[in-house]
Amino acid sequence: MGFRLNIKGAEDIALGMDNILEATYKSDTPDDSDARATDLGVVIKVIGKIITPVNGEEADDTRKLAKWSLVSAESSDAYRDLTLDVISGSIVVRSIHLPNAFIVDYEEKYNDKGGVGTFEAIFKQKKEKTREVTMEGGYAAAE
């Protein structure tokens, strides 16, 4: 299984199967509700590794992700168009699209074992735009 994360905005971000280790989708409503709540949040969490560029390769886009996490809420660039593809074999099992995503939390951990380190990013869809979230799948992955 593999993952592709594409984020379009002032600066496009693309992370692929080499970077992403784990992804989680969550449809989140208040836990204390006695009926189906109207307060629905959509959350995507991505965990991956930071890859060191070697032999003149271009650096991966984790630095761009870290920079985006610093954008002020007042900036229109705080919201970007995010698509997460979950791929098994050559089939897109899920393609989740958040057209107004923002970063809730971003964390990098560094170590001296097996590479530079890891990152964890949590994204949410802007609440009043939840109806615009789409989820598709079951088709061949583009190369």
Side-chain angles (χ1 to χ4, degrees):
M1 182 166 294
F3 308 94
R4 282 191 306 229
L5 180 69
N6 290 299
I7 301 168
K8 295 185 186 324
E11 186 173 40
D12 290 352
I13 299 168
L15 298 173
M17 298 191 194
D18 292 340
N19 289 100
I20 301 173
L21 302 171
E22 182 180 329
T24 305
Y25 166 84
K26 183 177 182 180
S27 178
D28 190 29
T29 58
D31 294 337
D32 61 353
S33 179
D34 291 331
R36 178 67 176 165
T38 57
D39 187 18
L40 173 65
V42 176
V43 181
I44 290 179
K45 179 168 129 178
V46 176
I47 298 171
K49 56 187 172 183
I50 301 166
I51 299 173
T52 306
V54 292
N55 297 328
E57 293 176 339
E58 197 171 305
D60 69 10
D61 281 358
T62 53
R63 184 183 57 80
K64 292 179 184 178
L65 201 56
K67 285 174 48 182
W68 181 33
S69 74
L70 300 173
V71 172
S72 167
E74 291 82 21
S75 171
S76 63
D77 191 39
Y79 298 95
R80 295 188 184 180
D81 187 276
L82 180 150
T83 302
L84 174 69
D85 292 330
V86 180
I87 302 166
S88 181
S90 61
I91 302 297
V92 175
V93 178
R94 292 283 184 274
S95 182
I96 305 163
H97 179 230
L98 280 58
N100 301 96
F102 63 97
I103 294 181
V104 175
D105 289 314
Y106 182 78
E107 180 178 351
E108 290 187 350
K109 296 178 184 175
Y110 313 105
N111 61 56
D112 62 354
K113 298 176 181 71
V116 174
T118 60
F119 71 92
E120 180 176 310
I122 299 174
F123 308 96
K124 283 184 99 173
Q125 170 71 358
K126 191 174 187 180
K127 193 155 295 229
E128 65 269 17
K129 303 280 188 171
T130 300
R131 290 179 188 252
E132 296 177 20
V133 171
T134 60
M135 186 177 301
E136 300 176 355
Y139 52 85
E143 292 296 320

